[in-house]
Amino acid sequence: MIVPHRSGAPQNQRHGSLEDGPHLYKNGRVSTLLQFGCITNLKFPSLENSPRLAAAPAADGSSKKSKTLAKSQMTQTAENDQIAPTNDSNDPGPHPPQLSKNAQKKLLKLQRWEAKKAEKKALEKEKKQKEAERKRSEWEEKLASVSEEEKTKLIESRREMRKERMEKRSEEKEKKMERLRWAKEAGQKIVVDLEFADLMSSNEIHSLVQQIMYCYAVNGRCTSPSHLWLTGCRGEIETQLQRLPGFDKWIIEKESQSYIEVLKDQKENLVYLTADAETVLDVLDPKKIYVVGGLVDRNRWKGITLKKAKEQGIQSAKLPIANYLKMSSSQVLTVNQVIEILLKFVETRDWKTSFFQVIPQRKRGGCEEAGEDNEEEDGEKKRKCIEEEPSDDG
């Protein structure tokens, strides 16, 4: 309830002193709640912006002190009626999404595998260094135990052996170049489709480049090599390939365009090899051009190669793995495994032999025949093949 102004009251009292207590704003004017007033526990906006109150002097002449007291009272009221804001100084912000239990298990398994791989690599390096040191020590001891004349003969003999090895390597290199040149004209054509770079991380691209290097090394050692094509070779994949020693001298087709453009006049002969295809590959047709998807995806992009083949209107097929062995996991193989199987079949014309010589033991589950290689032997074979590949011949 608002009591009307008393006539005869001083001007400052009619408008109300700032010490009289809360004030009520209504229609742009200020009314004073009498000191014996009937209205309590009301919330009011700040008086700081009221021009009329700012112009009204206090009864005791101390306007600054009165205004400060009023503001203090209003602030206290507001603080009592409002919920105190929470302190966000220690809030770490939005939390990252939690991985599912299955994803956590896969991540842990991958981390353990990478740690084991790094440890194995370090042990192999240490073993190699120790072996080199042992041979050096034996050679020095042998030289120290003979006369000067015999020492000279030993050194000369060693030089001759080294020269013979270099000549043999040079001869093997020339034979390999001849085989690859023949394959360019009459060999089975195999394409590696490199148009999936945008779906892979930098580490996955690096892994793919290593697989391609291994494929070229294995192909060069085959008695009947195939002619390899790299299509869609651009961007980061091309950059990493260019860093490989001797890559510019490789006898291989390197195209920045897609295979569908480069080989458009042979589209009817294109066959995309994918584990998702319904057609099973019985034999390799020398007239056909087999396409292998260059994708290291950890099973993230299932069915992507089959979908691409259908969209482009080309044939698709899968290797007859299920006819000869039972895989412990999916039938998806790495690029180098698929190409090496094709190379083995070209030489042997036998799928079973090709599968058991290439597919690692760890991927074969429930098969009666153990095969010749296991996981360690497969890794050792791959390492030696890459290390022995001459870096200056392509």
Side-chain angles (χ1 to χ4, degrees), residues 193-366:
D193 178 15
L194 302 179
E195 293 186 284
F196 300 104
D198 57 329
L199 303 180
M200 295 184 288
S201 66
S202 181
N203 288 338
E204 289 170 338
I205 291 176
H206 175 74
S207 177
L208 176 59
V209 168
Q210 295 296 309
Q211 293 179 33
I212 293 172
M213 179 173 64
Y214 176 69
C215 291
Y216 183 76
V218 172
N219 189 48
R221 284 168 170 74
C222 291
T223 55
S224 300
S226 298
H227 187 47
L228 302 181
W229 292 62
L230 301 179
T231 61
C233 184
R234 54 183 180 269
E236 186 175 353
I237 290 183
E238 182 185 16
T239 301
Q240 292 200 27
L241 284 170
Q242 290 290 348
R243 293 173 185 166
L244 297 178
F247 176 72
D248 292 335
K249 298 180 181 179
W250 284 13
I251 300 181
I252 193 172
E253 303 297 334
K254 312 160 196 173
E255 298 287 346
S256 60
Q257 293 181 312
S258 170
Y259 58 87
I260 203 70
E261 298 172 344
V262 176
L263 301 169
K264 58 185 177 181
D265 57 336
Q266 303 184 60
K267 184 178 179 180
E268 66 280 1
N269 292 327
L270 291 174
V271 180
Y272 213 118
L273 297 180
T274 170
D276 302 306
E278 296 180 359
T279 305
V280 179
L281 192 65
D282 294 327
V283 294
L284 293 182
D285 186 347
K287 296 180 181 179
K288 299 292 184 181
I289 303 173
Y290 296 97
V291 183
V292 179
L295 178 61
V296 179
D297 66 339
R298 317 298 185 203
N299 293 326
R300 293 194 310 269
W301 303 97
K302 294 182 180 180
I304 190 172
T305 50
L306 178 61
K307 180 181 177 182
K308 183 175 184 178
K310 288 182 176 180
E311 290 176 349
Q312 293 177 338
I314 64 176
Q315 304 172 62
S316 63
K318 62 182 177 181
L319 299 176
I321 298 175
N323 297 346
Y324 299 93
L325 55 88
K326 181 180 179 181
M327 300 287 282
S328 59
S329 57
S330 69
Q331 296 188 17
V332 178
L333 302 174
T334 61
V335 173
N336 60 282
Q337 288 169 351
V338 173
I339 292 181
E340 191 173 2
I341 287 172
L342 298 179
L343 296 175
K344 289 290 183 183
F345 183 81
V346 169
E347 289 185 341
T348 65
R349 312 307 295 182
D350 187 330
W351 284 119
K352 185 175 181 179
T353 301
S354 303
F355 292 144
F356 276 95
Q357 287 186 4
V358 176
I359 298 177
Q361 177 68 34
R362 70 181 186 277
K363 286 193 173 184
R364 294 185 241 144

